[in-house]
Amino acid sequence: MLKISFFSGLLFAVFEFIFAIYSHSQSSLTDAVYDTAELVFIALLLFLTPLFHKPISEKRPFGYFQIETIFIIIKGIMMLSVTLGVSAEVLHSVISGGNTVDNGLVSIFQCFLGIASIIIFIAMNRLSNNLSSPTIKAELLGWKLDIAYSLGMSFAFFISLYLEKTPFYFLAPYFDQIVAIIIMVFMLPESIKVLWRAIKDIFLFSPDKELVEKIKMLCNPIMEQYHFEPVFYDITKTGRHLWIAVYFQIETNVLAMNDLAAALKSVNEIVTAEFEECSCELIPDPFSLDY
């Protein structure tokens, strides 16, 4: 599935670069640069995905999940650098008086990309019917966004053909730059968000409050069922994997191992049903037990 997405994206990026050079369209160039950055990440995933499924060990207690986080940070920095570089070029073009392009040609090209994206999405969606993978889901979402983006650009440039007959005729030389700026305005916050999320993961920061509350909502009823009182949740996210440790106290001074085993099994069942990559352990407070 990743190979299909990679080689399809590679063809798209090549055609977009060629078209951007031919038409001098900065919006097409911006699209090509973002697609190329995405290709680098997919290429790395093709080689690294087998590592994510290797078991943990004493030497690597978190397995290889942090490798994905490191490359997400690299991707985020690369995307930010690209965005700032292209932004400087676009602003320079605006100050220099704009850049007139063949809006009809850009509209046709983007429509072609949109139709091709629909075909690829349908093929990948059918092939992934029996798969459960966060990476594949992310790729399918990416192709959905490509469809909306390409068809939206096609429609926008088609409408721009009639700008000269409206009071907004003065925007015609700047329309290509306006579209490029709109693309970057939408992409920049997302790039920053992905980068910040990966930085939090690499330093093992606690996840967002909403995620912590959701985990507590799932685990607390089971803990109450076995009369375990949670005192502390240690939640760590590394890459796509979630590690949960629940420290708890008991009402009596004796802990029944059968209860602990049953509670641990129930908690893991409910959290793995909600989060595909997740491990949970229950840790009794040693000061509440007799030995």
Side-chain angles (χ1 to χ4, degrees):
M1 294 295 291
L2 286 174
K3 285 179 180 178
I4 292 173
S5 186
F6 174 79
F7 287 112
S8 301
L10 180 60
L11 285 174
F12 273 50
V14 169
F15 281 125
E16 284 166 348
F17 271 117
I18 293 173
F19 181 79
I21 294 170
Y22 172 76
S23 65
H24 305 289
S25 170
Q26 290 178 323
S27 57
S28 297
L29 179 61
T30 304
D31 191 20
V33 169
Y34 281 124
D35 283 351
T36 304
E38 186 67 25
L39 281 176
V40 173
F41 186 64
I42 296 175
L44 291 171
L45 278 178
L46 280 169
F47 291 101
L48 296 175
T49 295
L51 286 178
F52 302 152
H53 300 281
K54 285 192 174 184
I56 62 174
S57 63
E58 291 183 357
K59 186 177 180 180
R60 294 180 176 83
F62 289 110
Y64 292 83
F65 293 106
Q66 288 289 54
I67 294 176
E68 185 176 19
T69 305
I70 292 169
F71 281 106
I72 289 175
I73 290 176
I74 294 172
K75 177 189 176 183
I77 294 172
M78 183 171 59
M79 293 288 281
L80 283 175
S81 302
V82 166
T83 300
L84 294 175
V86 174
S87 297
E89 180 64 27
V90 170
L91 290 175
H92 175 74
S93 177
V94 171
I95 294 171
S96 302
N99 176 38
T100 303
V101 298
D102 187 338
N103 291 354
L105 184 62
V106 175
S107 178
I108 293 171
F109 179 74
Q110 290 297 334
C111 183
F112 167 77
L113 290 183
I115 294 170
S117 297
I118 292 172
I119 294 171
I120 294 167
F121 173 78
I122 292 173
M124 289 184 64
N125 194 44
R126 288 182 177 178
L127 289 171
S128 65
N129 282 338
N130 297 322
L131 297 178
S132 178
S133 166
T135 302
I136 299 302
K137 289 179 180 177
E139 284 303 304
L140 288 172
L141 177 60
W143 282 104
K144 280 185 181 178
L145 294 174
D146 280 346
I147 292 169
Y149 169 77
S150 296
L151 296 181
M153 274 190 67
S154 176
F155 180 74
F157 275 98
F158 177 76
I159 294 297
S160 72
L161 292 173
Y162 301 94
L163 274 179
E164 294 181 359
K165 301 176 183 179
T166 70
F168 301 100
Y169 68 92
F170 62 92
L171 292 177
Y174 304 98
F175 189 82
D176 187 56
Q177 289 76 35
I178 291 171
V179 173
I181 290 171
I182 291 172
I183 295 170
M184 288 180 284
V185 165
F186 280 102
M187 292 298 296
L188 189 59
E190 188 61 30
S191 299
I192 294 173
K193 190 186 299 183
V194 169
L195 180 60
W196 174 240
R197 193 183 301 126
I199 291 172
K200 288 175 64 178
D201 288 353
I202 203 72
F203 287 106
L204 305 181
F205 289 171
S206 177
D208 296 335
K209 184 178 179 181
E210 292 77 9
L211 179 60
V212 173
E213 291 301 320
K214 187 174 185 178
I215 292 170
K216 289 181 178 181
M217 185 179 67
L218 292 171
C219 296
N220 283 348
I222 296 174
M223 303 295 287
E224 292 174 4
Q225 180 182 344
Y226 291 93
H227 305 288
F228 297 160
E229 181 184 349
V231 294
F232 177 67
Y233 278 80
D234 183 11
I235 303 171
T236 302
K237 192 171 182 297
T238 56
R240 69 183 71 186
H241 200 90
L242 198 62
W243 308 83
I244 305 170
V246 186
Y247 293 82
F248 68 93
Q249 293 179 342
I250 57 175
E251 297 175 355
T252 62
N253 291 330
V254 180
L255 174 62
M257 297 306 295
N258 287 341
D259 286 349
L260 179 60
L264 182 61
K265 181 181 179 181
S266 298
V267 167
N268 270 286
E269 285 177 352
I270 195 168
V271 294
T272 52
E274 186 69 27
F275 309 103
E276 292 188 15
E277 298 281 352
C278 184
S279 301
C280 185
E281 56 183 355
L282 303 180
I283 304 174
D285 178 6
F287 296 105
S288 66
L289 302 175
D290 281 344
Y291 294 91

